Amino acid sequence: MKHAPDSSYSWFRMAVSLALATIGGIGLWAAVITLPVIQKEFGIDRAGASVPYTMTMIGFALGGVMMGRLADRFGIMVPMFVGTLFLGAGFIACAYAPSYWTFVAAQAGIIGLFGVATTFGPLVADISLWFQKRRGIAVAIVASGNYLAGTIWPPFLTYAIAQWGWRNSYIVIGIISVALMLPLSLLLRPRASLEERPAPASLSREPNGTPVLQGLLIFAGLACCVAMSMPQVHIIAYCADLGYGTARGAEMLSLMLGFGVISRFASGMLADKIGGVGTLIIGSMLQCLALLFYIPFDGLTSLYIVSAFFGLAQGGIVPSYALIIRDNFPARQAGFRISLVLTSTVMGMALGGWLSGEIFDATGSYTWAFLHGIGWNLCNMAIALWLVFRNRAPTMGAAQPA
């Protein structure tokens, strides 16, 4: 049975995809939440404690492209089903890790590469095929799954670690993930029609320029998320250093990501009106401003406020890339191309998380880490502005839509 775009089934599928992204998203945040515990457990420095997160994100990035290809060929259900089994196995493998590098290998090679990789780029690409008129809000909602995960899981996992230890907590998470995600994955069996053509605005104006557009979007995704990673990856450790404790940092991370969900919903509705490019430039500018605020305001109340503002500022950036890709490339390439760009955002988070730890170890302060993130944010803003002016360029000689 075929389902029309924007149908009631499309919205049902969106809800299932959001649930999968939210449950599976714990694979992205577990290494952040356990960063101080892992540092103490294995007797390593801050940069070393950041490596599990960084390697998980690298695995997640590479796996996203691979799973995106698989989704283009077989539909999203197959990679989602496989990824769920690996996610559960990865958490249990981490729980029994006898050494630091075994833990890193399980985080990156099982949880990242094969486990959580399907829950972001491939899921976002899939839902973009089921909507036309409301694609912006649909993409934004599914892309919010990793933020909802970052809102829901940190307090739960922080409490679980305090009560049962991190190893037992990882085992419980692995079991819960598989029990909930396998039946949900089966609901995504139907495949969307790929007959829709891409919007011709960009392709007709620059028929040989699509590799340039793809490349710049990849770099833009990398740059925005190197900047984004500083507060998201290090806010818990930052609060511990300031004497506020890890629990306060976990609350700030939840607050940040919770407001990020609100931002993604609002940005999705905005994107349906002004497009992905306009949404990107607004989000990039606001994120840069939020990063600036972290430097002078390090009081407890101030950090809560700035973290909330940061979440509101940056939530709409990443989904905008998916919308730009869908407006400029064929639907049959959506899984691979969207996953490729969203993979660059993951690589940015991985790179930024590690570099921030290195900068902290070198300077003994997070001030330069924030400034480093601002520099990358300015690169993202430059590309976003280029996209704005590019879209306003005259289209003489452009081919008309078929």
Side-chain angles (χ1 to χ4, degrees), residues 20 40 129 137 156 191 203 222 245 260 293 318 371 388 392:
L20 283 164
K40 183 178 180 180
L129 301 173
I137 186 63
F156 170 79
R191 299 190 63 181
L203 293 176
L222 179 79
F293 286 159
V318 172
L371 291 172
V388 170
R392 291 181 179 177

Side-chain angles (χ1 to χ4, degrees), residues 39-58:
Q39 182 176 3
K40 183 178 180 180
E41 169 98 1
F42 295 111
I44 50 181
D45 61 14
R46 184 63 51 81
S50 301
V51 167
Y53 171 80
T54 299
M55 296 305 294
T56 299
M57 297 301 273
I58 291 173

Side-chain angles (χ1 to χ4, degrees), residues 135 196-204 324-330 401:
R135 181 179 293 155
E196 177 195 3
R197 298 191 179 201
S202 176
L203 293 176
S204 60
I324 295 169
I325 288 290
R326 289 292 286 112
D327 285 341
N328 289 279
F329 296 95

Side-chain angles (χ1 to χ4, degrees), residues 35 45-51 53-54 222-238 241 291 294 310 347-376:
L35 191 153
D45 61 14
R46 184 63 51 81
S50 301
V51 167
Y53 171 80
T54 299
L222 179 79
C224 78
C225 288
V226 170
M228 194 183 297
S229 67
M230 173 54 229
Q232 289 190 7
V233 177
H234 288 272
I235 189 66
I236 294 176
Y238 185 41
D241 292 341
L291 286 170
Y294 270 110
F310 183 82
M347 294 295 288
M349 293 293 291
L351 178 63
W354 171 71
L355 285 175
S356 294
E358 290 286 356
I359 292 170
F360 175 86
D361 288 338
T363 64
S365 168
Y366 276 121
T367 298
W368 283 102
F370 281 117
L371 291 172
H372 168 261
I374 289 168
W376 281 93

Side-chain angles (χ1 to χ4, degrees), residues 127-218:
I127 204 62
S128 76
L129 301 173
W130 292 90
F131 288 85
Q132 290 182 4
K133 294 180 181 179
R134 305 299 294 171
R135 181 179 293 155
I137 186 63
V139 165
I141 288 173
V142 175
S144 298
N146 64 342
Y147 274 18
L148 281 173
T151 303
I152 295 169
W153 284 107
F156 170 79
L157 186 51
T158 300
Y159 174 82
I161 290 171
Q163 296 297 315
W164 311 313
W166 72 270
R167 293 181 185 272
N168 290 331
S169 300
Y170 263 49
I171 293 173
V172 171
I173 290 172
I175 294 171
I176 290 175
S177 299
V178 173
L180 295 178
M181 293 176 66
L182 282 183
L184 288 172
S185 299
L186 296 175
L187 297 176
L188 300 183
R189 184 176 182 179
R191 299 190 63 181
S193 170
L194 302 180
E195 296 176 358
E196 177 195 3
R197 298 191 179 201
S202 176
L203 293 176
S204 60
R205 181 167 59 245
E206 299 179 50
N208 297 318
T210 53
V212 174
L213 175 61
Q214 181 83 52
L216 284 175
L217 287 174
I218 289 171

Side-chain angles (χ1 to χ4, degrees), residues 132-138 267-275 279 323:
Q132 290 182 4
K133 294 180 181 179
R134 305 299 294 171
R135 181 179 293 155
I137 186 63
S267 296
M269 291 186 286
L270 180 65
D272 283 331
K273 296 182 180 297
I274 69 172
T279 306
L323 300 177

